[in-house]
Amino acid sequence: MYRNSKSVALLTIIALMGALLIGCGKNNTMEGNAVNSTAVTTETQVANEEVNETTRKFTDWTKHEVQIPVTPQRVIYHGETTGDLLALGVNPIGIMKDAITGTVLEDQLPNVEDVGFPLNVEKAMTLKPDLIIFSNDDAEQYDAIAKVAPTVTFNTFDQLDVRMRTLGDLLNKKQEAEEWLAAHAAKMADMWADLHANGVKEGETASVFTMYPGNRLFIMAGAGLPQFLYEEGGFKPLPIVQELIDQQTGFLEISAELLPQYAADRIFILNPVDPAAQKDTNALLNGRIWKGIPAIKSDHVYHFDILKASSDATSREWMITELPKVLLEK
């Protein structure tokens, strides 16, 4: 009886030891699986973090949500204010070359590729951009271009500070944008202070006109040279022009008969490129209506080439030097 009890006890101990060994084996397997699962999860998280570190979401002018590179390296800029990018130290790989021909930017981008107007999708693909900035709200064009690379729409009619901060955000150049704007504001303040000290009265108004082919006369409002002239401390727009600016109108065609309504204390003429338009400009300047305007009689009329007197950041830097020459050396 005693011997049988010992045998049962021994068998019980062996069984318990076996169960413990089996349990340990299971625990080791589960722990191994847990380690492997953790490793896979960690690797996925690292991969996702690496993607998130190189791209980010951006909401553009026309409300597209686009995943863009954090620091774009190969940018196509399809718009009229290429000089904004140059001011931030960014040389685009592709642009509308017609937009810089004859401008102060032309010599600064000798080797840039021309992507045409409208943008040539096939050409853009060969350049392998990682970001396309498209200054248009045409949805059909956008859909075609967005197949090439991440594409964001951009409003070139925005005020300079808005454009520069938007581009600073897009191009990972926020600090550069703020530094440029601060330096530009200081230069503008110095320029206007000098002009006011030399005969340009504070509060004087200014108007900007140009002719398009077909004998079409335009008053400039929210685009081009007026953006520069109407900066803080500068000339003021007439109320009728301010209304256009408030409506975000870049320019408006008017008849020659309306010239007196739009004529300010100082009048700026943008010399057109087209020979026929230049001929029409000369005819306008020799006409009865033009000669009856007070600013004309006071010899407060100034001329700039339309291609050079642009609203982009680089052209504005040029204007800071040129405007005093035109106003004070007349």
Side-chain angles (χ1 to χ4, degrees):
M1 186 73 176
Y2 175 74
R3 187 180 297 128
N4 288 340
S5 297
K6 284 186 67 177
S7 297
V8 170
L10 182 60
L11 288 172
T12 302
I13 292 170
I14 292 172
L16 287 171
M17 290 179 63
L20 287 171
L21 288 173
I22 291 170
C24 288
K26 285 182 179 178
N27 287 338
N28 287 339
T29 302
M30 290 174 66
E31 287 172 6
N33 289 337
V35 170
N36 290 338
S37 177
T38 302
V40 170
T41 302
T42 303
E43 288 173 5
T44 303
Q45 288 174 342
V46 170
N48 288 337
E49 287 171 4
E50 288 176 353
V51 170
N52 290 335
E53 286 175 0
T54 57
T55 66
R56 65 186 181 90
K57 188 177 291 185
F58 182 87
T59 303
D60 70 10
W61 170 39
T62 50
K63 307 306 179 187
H64 301 104
E65 288 191 349
V66 187
Q67 199 73 17
I68 66 169
V70 169
T71 306
Q73 301 295 320
R74 298 181 60 78
V75 179
I76 289 177
Y77 181 78
H78 199 258
E80 301 84 7
T81 56
T82 309
D84 293 350
L85 275 73
L86 297 184
L88 293 176
V90 175
N91 283 358
I93 60 170
I95 62 169
M96 298 187 302
K97 259 202 165 174
D98 283 349
I100 68 164
T101 303
T103 72
V104 299
L105 312 177
E106 189 170 17
D107 294 338
Q108 299 186 43
L109 291 166
N111 301 315
V112 69
E113 294 286 343
D114 184 15
V115 294
F117 180 83
L119 189 145
N120 186 314
V121 173
E122 289 76 17
K123 175 66 175 180
M125 290 179 69
T126 66
L127 298 179
K128 296 180 170 52
D130 57 10
L131 178 66
I132 299 174
I133 302 174
F134 180 53
S135 64
N136 200 313
D137 60 359
D138 187 298
E140 186 175 347
Q141 285 189 60
Y142 176 87
D143 289 342
I145 295 167
K147 293 182 174 66
V148 177
T151 301
V152 296
T153 56
F154 179 71
N155 185 7
T156 56
F157 284 159
D158 267 337
Q159 294 296 310
L160 176 68
D161 60 334
V162 176
R163 296 200 317 266
M164 293 300 281
R165 289 190 173 102
T166 300
L167 290 171
D169 186 8
L170 266 174
L171 302 170
N172 199 14
K173 296 275 186 178
K174 286 185 178 181
Q175 181 176 344
E176 289 87 339
E178 294 300 331
E179 289 173 353
W180 187 91
L181 286 168
H184 181 70
K187 291 176 187 176
M188 290 286 287
D190 289 344
M191 181 196 73
W192 287 115
D194 184 57
L195 288 172
H196 292 149
N198 285 278
V200 176
K201 298 175 183 176
E202 294 199 32
E204 282 192 76
T205 58
S207 299
V208 183
F209 299 96
T210 194
M211 296 290 289
Y212 276 48
N215 197 26
R216 301 172 65 195
L217 174 64
F218 285 82
I219 175 74
M220 306 299 294
L225 181 60
Q227 285 193 4
F228 179 85
L229 296 177
Y230 301 152
E231 282 278 2
E232 184 178 352
F235 294 119
K236 307 299 181 186
L238 291 171
I240 195 171
V241 175
Q242 184 63 56
E243 288 179 12
L244 296 175
I245 295 171
D246 293 342
Q247 295 164 9
Q248 298 186 331
T249 301
F251 42 83
L252 178 71
E253 184 173 5
I254 63 172
S255 66
E257 287 73 23
L258 292 178
L259 264 172
Q261 296 182 34
Y262 288 91
D265 299 323
R266 308 264 180 169
I267 292 179
F268 292 82
I269 301 295
L270 297 176
N271 299 323
V273 176
D274 186 272
Q278 186 58 60
K279 184 178 178 180
D280 292 334
T281 301
N282 295 336
L284 177 73
L285 302 186
N286 288 308
R288 176 185 56 82
I289 296 174
W290 181 262
K291 290 182 178 180
I293 293 172
I296 312 306
K297 296 176 180 180
S298 302
D299 200 25
H300 285 169
V301 182
Y302 315 94
H303 293 258
F304 280 102
D305 288 344
I306 191 170
L307 296 178
K308 287 187 167 60
S310 184
S311 60
D312 68 89
T314 303
S315 296
R316 281 171 179 252
E317 292 287 286
W318 178 81
M319 283 293 302
I320 287 174
T321 301
E322 293 302 311
L323 183 64
K325 291 180 184 178
V326 170
L327 290 175
L328 301 181
E329 295 179 11
K330 189 173 176 64

